[in-house]
Amino acid sequence: MENLNEYIDLTGFGHSLGYMLVSLTIFYIGKIVFKLSNAKTDITAELVHKDNFAFILSYVGYFVALVIVVGGTILGESLGFYTDLAHIGLYGILGIVLLQISTRISNRLILPNFDIKKEILLDKNNGTGVIEASIYVSNALLLHGALIGESTSLQEGIITFITYWFIGNIMLIAASKIYTVWIRFDVHKEIEADNVAVGVSFSGAILAIGIVIMNALIDPFIDWTTTIIDVLLQTVLGIILLPIMRFITDKVLIPERNLTDEIINQEKPNIGAGLIEAFAYVGSAILITWSI
């Protein structure tokens, strides 16, 4: 055993196993919470019997978001094995609750002109499914950003976590609203008409905004004024960047075609064009986080 310790840190391995087990427990709790919050939905029927791809997109998006939230609870400086386990459990469960709240709020405020659940469950609208998935993931990014960082006490950490989450949600919803105003077509109308290309491109915009806001929330806490100004400035930068990147995508990546024509002015909207636009948004957001 002593020789084995020379090559393998058994204590560290045991701690890692403990973190993994607690994380899997939180993940399972997240699954139960999803089922309870969608009590009227026969999840098995949607996944297997109906082959509802719109629901599958949303469902997978939720679990991707859950992984991101749980990851935020694990990262950071260790405060001791048992303290770490307690914090992973506490912040993980709190993160699940906030994820449910923020997603419901975002669904109502980002796309208020129609019933998202109806579009996904009854109409099997894939564009709506991918948007709900992006809303899950973007809110998880906000929670991840709020979780990263140091606090002097557990109480201060929880207060900061919830406050960061609240600020981030306001910015995410406001930025999404601005996007639907400056874009040159009616996003709600196109998505309700099962235009998957618009759903994909809009999802890219939502994810890009979430990435930029997360980056602002990760910055070390100085004071609330500095934090709010930093989040606001980076959100404004992201909002300004969206139309610029759309213009560049239109002129550089698809120089021989008009991006709007490809997405909405065809009998069969070009989903590939929507994906290219989404990539431009997300890629530019990642570049911002690396540059600031």
Side-chain angles (χ1 to χ4, degrees):
M1 184 64 70
E2 291 181 359
N3 291 333
L4 185 61
N5 282 329
E6 294 179 6
Y7 302 98
I8 301 175
D9 183 357
L10 294 179
T11 301
F13 180 79
H15 289 180
S16 297
L17 183 61
Y19 297 149
M20 180 63 70
L21 290 175
V22 173
S23 299
L24 291 174
T25 301
I26 297 299
F27 193 82
Y28 184 73
I29 292 172
K31 178 184 176 181
I32 294 174
V33 171
F34 181 90
K35 185 174 181 179
L36 292 175
S37 64
N38 295 272
K40 296 181 179 180
T41 302
D42 187 337
I43 296 175
T44 302
E46 297 295 332
L47 293 174
V48 180
H49 304 302
K50 298 180 181 179
D51 294 339
N52 187 342
F53 189 62
F55 179 79
I56 293 171
L57 287 169
S58 172
Y59 192 63
V60 172
Y62 172 77
F63 286 106
V64 170
L66 199 55
V67 169
I68 294 171
V69 172
V70 173
T73 68
I74 298 174
L75 296 175
E77 184 178 352
S78 175
L79 300 175
F81 179 60
Y82 294 107
T83 302
D84 290 345
L85 293 182
H87 283 190
I88 291 172
L90 177 61
Y91 282 112
I93 292 173
L94 181 58
I96 290 170
V97 173
L98 294 180
L99 180 62
Q100 289 290 333
I101 294 173
S102 58
T103 302
R104 290 178 182 275
I105 293 173
S106 297
N107 281 345
R108 289 183 177 275
L109 297 181
I110 291 178
L111 293 173
N113 293 355
F114 56 80
D115 186 338
I116 288 181
K117 290 300 180 185
K118 173 183 173 296
E119 290 293 317
I120 291 176
L121 297 176
L122 297 182
D123 296 345
K124 298 183 179 181
N125 188 329
N126 293 337
T128 306
V130 73
I131 288 174
E132 184 166 62
S134 72
I135 291 174
Y136 277 129
V137 174
S138 293
N139 278 286
L141 291 173
L142 301 183
L143 291 169
H144 184 90
L147 280 166
I148 302 299
E150 299 179 0
S151 346
T152 57
S153 67
L154 179 60
Q155 181 181 5
E156 179 186 332
I158 292 175
I159 292 173
T160 303
F161 179 45
I162 295 174
T163 306
Y164 271 26
W165 162 80
F166 180 74
I167 294 171
N169 263 273
I170 292 175
M171 294 296 102
L172 177 64
I173 293 168
S176 300
K177 286 290 187 182
I178 293 172
Y179 171 88
T180 60
V181 170
W182 67 253
I183 201 71
R184 291 178 291 174
F185 50 81
D186 188 333
V187 173
H188 286 83
K189 179 181 176 181
E190 293 297 330
I191 294 172
E192 193 169 16
D194 295 350
N195 189 330
V196 180
V198 171
V200 171
S201 64
F202 188 33
S203 296
I206 294 172
L207 287 174
I209 295 166
I211 291 170
V212 171
I213 299 174
M214 177 196 70
N215 187 60
L217 294 176
I218 286 177
D219 289 343
F221 179 80
I222 299 175
D223 56 65
W224 286 113
T225 301
T226 302
T227 296
I228 292 172
I229 291 175
D230 192 24
V231 172
L232 183 60
L233 287 176
Q234 292 199 41
T235 304
V236 170
L237 178 61
I239 293 171
I240 293 174
L241 185 70
L242 290 179
I244 294 175
M245 289 310 300
R246 194 176 199 278
F247 176 80
I248 293 174
T249 302
D250 201 2
K251 301 302 180 183
V252 177
L253 296 184
I254 313 180
E256 298 178 358
R257 301 289 296 179
N258 181 276
L259 192 58
T260 300
D261 286 341
E262 289 295 307
I263 292 176
I264 68 168
N265 293 331
Q266 294 193 115
E267 183 177 349
K268 184 178 181 180
N270 188 336
I271 299 175
L275 184 60
I276 290 174
E277 183 176 352
F279 162 75
Y281 293 148
V282 173
S284 59
I286 293 173
L287 290 175
I288 287 179
T289 64
W290 289 343
S291 302
I292 295 180

